């Protein structure tokens, strides 16, 4: 009687075991993955979608300016002494407008950013503080013209005298608000024909930093006003509803699948995401590089994997920028198509380590680097009499990613804009100045998850660890039950694999509540 029950129990436990193994090996992970995918893909009903469309919290946008403390000395040939002033802190709100869905699982959108000055976070600094910086537009105009017709420089300089009132030196005393957003007026109306050349060149190159004035008589120069409230894009991004590992990948920008800025297919590749979203990390294939596409500098950049760590009590993958990303072509052959022009006759071919020429991208002779020339050639620092000091902690670019969802736990992106100060004979303002790469300012764009979202994420991680535990507990119970019943069945003699008095087996397994001897007797 009992033997029959035993055999039935054994059969059931066998089935349960098979099911438990299947669930542990395939079912549970599948269910978990499906749930995660459902919540991170860019589709209605996913938790991520709304946050992606409209960032629930603003990013912090910080500006640090290099204030020139000895402009008069520089005019007479001394090395510049700089003093970092900042941060001027802005809140950066981001909102996306969805334009439609593409055939290959893509979504098309434009991105609108809004910047609001954050007085509290800026401390004692205000937008009315006066800064002394290199006259970016003036130097930029001279350098641009110099590229095409060096002989015209003295004449051009006269024209610039009309454009800029009171031209005395290559420096600009300007309020922070005007330099960043409101703009500095450049007049294009005057007698001089050279003025026409300069203004025509600006119109032709159309650098984003030059905003034509409403009356069409001039321009406003400012560093960031083009970023405030303008719709950037359109971008086309993979939604991850089909293949979640492709989630966030930028497929096209301004309806093109590569940038022709660099005149090279390789350098024009659109790699990676817009840094708002990343696919989950598959632990068996952790990517060595995390690519992002940066329209401001017309190229893709990458951060390199450093390792796994703990952030906010959650396991996270840490990536940071590596010097190979902005390396000179001698150090990284892949970068050779990013260097198109000389910035100084002292260097042949390409730029120095750690620099990126934005001329092809911005239509202005601007050179990008990491702040304080971090990871760049040390030669660049020799130009200064203090005030430029690279520091990994302060000038790095990095991101902490949650591997389960691909959510950024914390990330910071930093970039510095520089222009060459060049000694030019025939230009009174530049006759005595030293030649070198001159930093204007650097920006930091940072994102850190708000506590509410961290809580949410931590909860889901805890839940996941429970699910994980349940998976193994169920499997463990199934194995124990199976073994217990198997031994019992063997002991009843129905399957005579082991001798009936296999004390060694029952000794090792000691099947707790179940007593094989009783079962044997009962039969
Ligand atoms: C910037 O430097 C100038 C001297 O060149 C100084 O007068 C000014 O106060 C400085 N600005 C700030 C905000 O420190
Ligand atoms: C979708 O993918 C196919 C095959 O890869 C390609 O031929 C087609 O051009 C793509 N469509 C769009 C709109 O990108
Ligand atoms: C950005 O534009 C908005 C709307 O015009 C304006 O309120 C805001 O002050 C601008 N931000 C800055 C920093 O100028
Ligand atoms: C230029 O200099 C004149 C005389 O020194 C002065 O009246 C005028 O305000 C200055 N203009 C500017 C824009 O600084
Ligand atoms: C720089 O630009 C400002 C504003 O247009 C002007 O007042 C100043 O004289 C300029 N200096 C030079 C050297 O261009
Ligand atoms: C784009 O990504 C591919 C593979 O992921 C990589 O081999 C290539 O170097 C990247 N291109 C650029 C310009 O970074
Ligand atoms: C991290 O977890 C430990 C133990 O689970 C806890 O004591 C600690 O307060 C947590 N720290 C944070 C920052 O949440
Ligand atoms: C860069 O400048 C040097 C010296 O003027 C010149 O020999 C070299 O050909 C230039 N390279 C490019 C790519 O223009």
């Amino acid at each position: 009687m009992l033997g029959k029950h035993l055999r039935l129990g054994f059969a059931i436990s066998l089935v349960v075991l098979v099911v438990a193994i299947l669930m542990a090996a395939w079912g549970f992970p599948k269910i978990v993955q499906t749930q995660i995918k459902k919540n991170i893909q860019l589709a209605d009903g996913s938790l991520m979608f709304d946050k992606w469309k409209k960032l629930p919290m603003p990013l912090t946008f910080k500006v640090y300016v290099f204030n020139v403390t000895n402009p008069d000395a520089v005019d007479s040939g001394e090395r510049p002494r700089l003093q970092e002033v900042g941060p001027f802190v802005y809140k950066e709100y981001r909102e996306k407008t969805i334009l439609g869905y593409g055939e290959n699982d893509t979504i098309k959108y434009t991105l609108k950013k809004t910047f609001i000055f954050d007085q509290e976070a800026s401390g004692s600094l205000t937008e009315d503080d006066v800064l002394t910086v290199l006259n970016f537009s003036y130097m930029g105009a001279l350098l641009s013209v110099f590229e095409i017709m060096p002989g015209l420089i003295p004449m051009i300089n006269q024209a610039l005298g009309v454009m800029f009132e009171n031209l005395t030196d290559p420096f600009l005393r300007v309020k922070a608000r005007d330099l960043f957003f409101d703009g500095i007026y450049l007049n294009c109306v005057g007698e001089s024909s050279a003025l026409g050349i300069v203004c025509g060149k600006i119109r032709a190159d159309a650098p984003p930093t030059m905003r034509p004035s409403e009356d069409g008589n001039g321009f406003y120069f400012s560093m960031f006003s083009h970023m405030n409230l303008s719709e950037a894009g359109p971008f086309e991004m993979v939604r991850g509803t089909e293949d979640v590992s492709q989630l966030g990948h930028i497929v096209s920008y301004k309806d093109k699948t590569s940038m022709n800025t660099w005149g090279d297919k390789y350098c024009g590749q659109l790699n990676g995401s817009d840094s708002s979203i990343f696919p989950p990390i598959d632990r068996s294939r952790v990517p060595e590089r995390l690519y992002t596409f940066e329209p401001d500098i017309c190229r893709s950049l990458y951060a390199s994997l450093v390792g796994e760590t703990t952030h906010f009590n959650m396991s996270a993958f840490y990536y940071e920028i590596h010097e190979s990303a902005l390396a000179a072509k001698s150090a990284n052959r892949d970068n050779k198509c990013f260097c198109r022009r000389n910035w100084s006759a002292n260097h042949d071919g390409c730029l120095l380590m750690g620099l990126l020429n934005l001329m092809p991208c911005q239509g202005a002779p601007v050179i990008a680097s990491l702040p304080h020339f971090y990871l760049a050639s040390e030669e660049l620092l020799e130009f200064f009499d203090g005030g430029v000091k690279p520091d990994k902690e302060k000038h790095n670019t990095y991101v902490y990613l949650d591997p389960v969802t691909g959510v950024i736990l914390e990330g910071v992106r930093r970039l510095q804009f520089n222009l060459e100060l060049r000694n030019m004979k025939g230009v009174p303002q530049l006759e005595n100045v030293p030649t070198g790469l001159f930093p204007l300012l650097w920006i930091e764009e940072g994102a850190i998850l708000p506590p509410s979202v961290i809580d949410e994420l931590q909860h889901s991680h805890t839940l996941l660890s429970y699910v994980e535990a349940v998976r193994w507990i169920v499997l463990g119970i199934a194995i124990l039950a199976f073994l217990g019943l198997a031994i019992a069945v063997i002991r009843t003699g129905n399957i005579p694999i082991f001798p009936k008095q296999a004390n060694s087996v029952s000794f090792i397994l000691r099947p707790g509540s179940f007593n094989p001897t009783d079962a044997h007797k009962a039969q």
Side-chain angles (χ1 to χ4, degrees):
M1 188 61 202
L2 229 156
K4 225 179 201 168
H5 284 161
L6 250 183
R7 260 171 299 172
L8 182 64
F10 176 70
I12 291 172
S13 79
L14 184 63
V15 172
V16 169
L17 179 64
V18 170
V19 171
I21 289 175
L22 278 179
M23 284 302 282
W26 182 80
F28 270 109
K30 188 79 191 161
I31 292 167
V32 168
Q33 272 166 23
T34 309
Q35 279 305 315
I36 290 171
K37 184 178 156 191
K38 221 171 103 188
N39 281 315
I40 62 174
Q41 67 191 9
L42 300 176
D44 287 327
S46 110
L47 278 178
M48 197 74 94
F49 195 38
D50 291 329
K51 296 191 176 82
W52 176 83
K53 273 193 286 193
K54 184 166 189 226
L55 218 55
M57 70 296 174
L59 303 180
T60 39
F61 182 83
K62 298 183 182 173
V63 190
Y64 296 81
V65 181
F66 290 97
N67 197 21
V68 186
T69 57
N70 63 341
D72 299 336
V74 178
D75 290 339
S76 54
E78 281 182 35
R79 291 187 300 163
R81 196 176 316 124
L82 306 179
Q83 177 205 19
E84 184 180 283
V85 179
F88 295 89
V89 185
Y90 291 81
K91 287 193 175 122
E92 178 185 337
Y93 296 86
R94 289 186 169 201
E95 202 170 339
K96 288 167 174 141
T97 309
I98 294 170
L99 303 178
Y101 296 90
E103 58 179 282
N104 292 343
D105 191 26
T106 59
I107 185 167
K108 198 170 185 181
Y109 63 91
T110 56
L111 171 63
K112 189 175 75 180
K113 302 178 184 174
T114 311
F115 294 85
I116 303 292
F117 187 64
D118 185 344
Q119 183 62 69
E120 200 183 320
S122 304
S124 61
L125 293 172
T126 71
E127 284 186 293
D128 289 317
D129 286 350
V130 175
L131 303 156
T132 307
V133 294
L134 193 65
N135 212 331
F136 225 51
S137 47
Y138 168 75
M139 220 36 243
L142 278 185
L143 290 173
S144 300
V145 173
F146 193 84
E147 291 254 343
I148 46 173
M149 23 192 180
L152 280 185
I153 285 295
M155 187 173 123
I156 296 296
N157 195 51
Q158 270 176 21
L160 291 172
V162 182
M163 240 172 130
F164 308 93
E165 283 178 61
N166 298 350
L167 211 59
T168 54
D169 67 6
F171 296 102
L172 177 63
R173 284 91 185 159
V174 65
K175 280 188 188 163
R177 95 169 56 244
D178 292 335
L179 177 63
F180 302 161
F181 287 98
D182 287 4
I184 301 148
Y185 186 65
L186 311 178
N187 175 28
C188 277
V189 176
E191 301 293 291
S192 159
S193 60
L195 191 64
I197 297 179
V198 173
C199 289
K201 181 95 178 90
I202 295 176
R203 275 198 194 96
D205 290 345
T209 46
M210 292 286 187
R211 180 175 86 240
S213 67
E214 288 82 6
D215 59 11
N217 288 337
F219 295 92
Y220 284 98
F221 165 83
S222 70
M223 290 299 290
F224 311 120
S225 73
H226 62 283
M227 289 167 24
N228 192 24
L229 279 176
S230 66
E231 298 274 352
F235 298 85
E236 199 179 350
M237 179 185 266
V238 179
R239 297 166 65 201
T241 61
E242 282 164 18
D243 179 0
V244 79
S245 73
Q246 292 293 308
L247 174 71
H249 211 92
I250 299 281
V251 181
S252 78
Y253 174 64
K254 291 190 173 165
D255 296 318
K256 295 208 184 73
T257 52
S258 69
M259 305 283 291
N260 47 23
T261 313
W262 307 101
D264 183 280
K265 214 167 166 196
Y266 177 80
C267 280
Q269 280 175 333
L270 305 184
N271 269 355
S273 90
D274 70 348
S275 69
S276 65
I277 194 167
F278 291 99
I281 293 177
D282 177 353
R283 280 174 188 278
S284 61
R285 276 180 294 144
V286 180
E288 282 299 316
R289 287 174 175 184
L290 201 62
Y291 282 96
T292 56
F293 170 61
E294 311 281 350
D296 295 343
I297 57 172
C298 304
R299 65 168 286 189
S300 288
L301 264 184
Y302 57 86
S304 303
L305 178 67
V306 177
E308 189 169 2
T309 155
T310 311
H311 206 60
F312 302 135
N313 258 355
M314 283 180 281
S315 129
F317 281 93
Y318 177 65
Y319 288 84
E320 69 181 15
I321 193 150
H322 185 262
E323 65 177 7
S324 67
L326 290 171
K329 75 166 181 218
S330 53
N332 183 356
R333 292 295 304 168
D334 287 346
N335 283 347
K336 65 175 186 297
C337 41
F338 289 121
C339 35
R340 299 230 302 162
R341 276 180 216 181
N342 286 339
W343 65 273
S344 161
N346 298 335
H347 300 285
D348 63 321
C350 197
L351 294 183
L352 289 177
M353 193 78 181
L355 304 179
L356 179 70
N357 188 350
L358 292 187
M359 183 71 199
C361 172
Q362 301 248 332
V366 179
I367 288 170
S369 68
L370 294 177
H372 289 246
F373 302 116
Y374 172 60
L375 295 183
S377 170
E378 286 181 14
E379 197 183 321
L380 294 162
L381 305 180
E382 289 164 13
F383 182 57
F384 306 99
D385 181 18
V388 183
K389 195 159 173 278
D391 177 337
K392 181 172 175 178
E393 289 296 311
K394 294 183 195 152
H395 306 139
N396 201 0
T397 285
Y398 62 82
V399 63
Y400 289 92
L401 273 194
D402 169 29
V404 178
T405 56
V407 165
I408 299 172
L409 301 176
E410 184 181 335
V412 164
R413 185 179 148 247
R414 297 178 172 127
L415 198 65
Q416 175 172 305
F417 297 100
N418 315 279
L419 201 71
E420 189 191 353
L421 176 63
R422 190 185 294 177
N423 185 303
M424 288 186 192
K425 298 299 169 205
V427 179
Q429 294 83 357
L430 297 175
E431 222 141 38
N432 299 314
V433 300
T435 294
L437 194 60
F438 209 102
L440 176 71
L441 51 77
W442 60 277
I443 56 171
E444 174 184 311
E445 220 167 19
I448 185 160
L449 281 188
S452 64
V453 182
I454 293 175
D455 274 356
E456 213 175 289
L457 214 54
Q458 275 171 343
H459 277 133
S460 60
H461 277 222
T462 315
L463 209 64
L464 273 182
S465 62
Y466 289 160
V467 170
E468 187 75 353
V470 166
R471 166 182 166 193
W472 297 117
I473 289 170
V474 167
L475 184 64
I477 291 173
I479 290 174
L480 283 182
F482 172 76
L483 284 177
L485 284 163
I487 289 158
V489 168
I490 290 161
R491 293 218 155 188
T492 57
N494 290 319
I495 304 171
I497 298 171
F498 297 108
K500 279 183 187 177
Q501 300 303 324
N503 284 326
S504 58
V505 175
S506 59
F507 176 75
I508 294 167
L509 288 166
R510 229 178 255 282
S513 60
F514 180 80
N515 190 332
T517 328
D518 290 349
H520 183 59
K521 271 187 203 142
Q523 214 188 31

